[in-house]
């Protein structure tokens, strides 16, 4: 009997210094989140986007491989991004990098976790300081 592996990678990123208008546009965020998911080879099953009053957006992209999400706080210039993928064929870091390229934060703090292989393992990601151009994670 073959052992089933639930191996997954989980990338969580806090992005600061993002313009209000980028963080408060549900339709644009939805479009870019779909493109981010597709850029890492994930299969999009469904998408939900919610704009809040007076500001803020949540977008959830359900993937065959798991999920990609963003929660925004435009008044603080802050976005919380999260991508979890199961298996070895889809790299969640590519989706997060795609969103960083779009959002152009002045700072981004990432954690990469290895999940489904016993205890959750933190794979240590550096803080990203950005001035004028994106620094790859």
């Amino acid at each position: 009997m073959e052992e089933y592996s639930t191996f997954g990678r989980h990338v969580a990123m806090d992005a600061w210094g993002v313009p209000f208008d980028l963080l408060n546009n549900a339709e644009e965020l939805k479009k870019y989140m779909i493109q981010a998911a597709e850029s890492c080879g994930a299969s999009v099953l469904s998408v939900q986007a919610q704009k809040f009053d007076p500001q803020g957006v949540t977008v959830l992209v359900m993937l065959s491989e798991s999920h990609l999400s963003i929660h925004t706080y435009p008044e603080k210039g802050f976005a919380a991004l999260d991508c979890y993928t199961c298996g070895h064929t889809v790299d969640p870091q590519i989706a997060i990098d795609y969103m960083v390229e779009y959002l152009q934060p002045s700072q981004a703090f990432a954690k990469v976790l290895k999940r489904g292989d016993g205890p959750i393992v933190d794979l240590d990601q550096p803080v990203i300081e950005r001035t004028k151009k994106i620094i790859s994670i």
Side-chain angles (χ1 to χ4, degrees), residues 13 20 86:
M13 175 175 282
F20 184 98
C86 301

Side-chain angles (χ1 to χ4, degrees), residues 15-19 23 76-78 103-107 130:
W16 291 94
V18 180
L23 296 177
K76 298 185 182 292
F78 173 74
L103 296 172
Q104 297 284 303
S106 59
Q107 290 187 314
R130 223 181 63 30

Side-chain angles (χ1 to χ4, degrees), residues 31-44 63 68 94-95:
K31 177 177 86 172
Y32 280 94
M33 291 284 285
I34 292 167
Q35 290 172 4
E38 291 171 346
S39 77
C40 74
S43 300
V44 175
L63 309 172
L68 172 64
I94 293 170

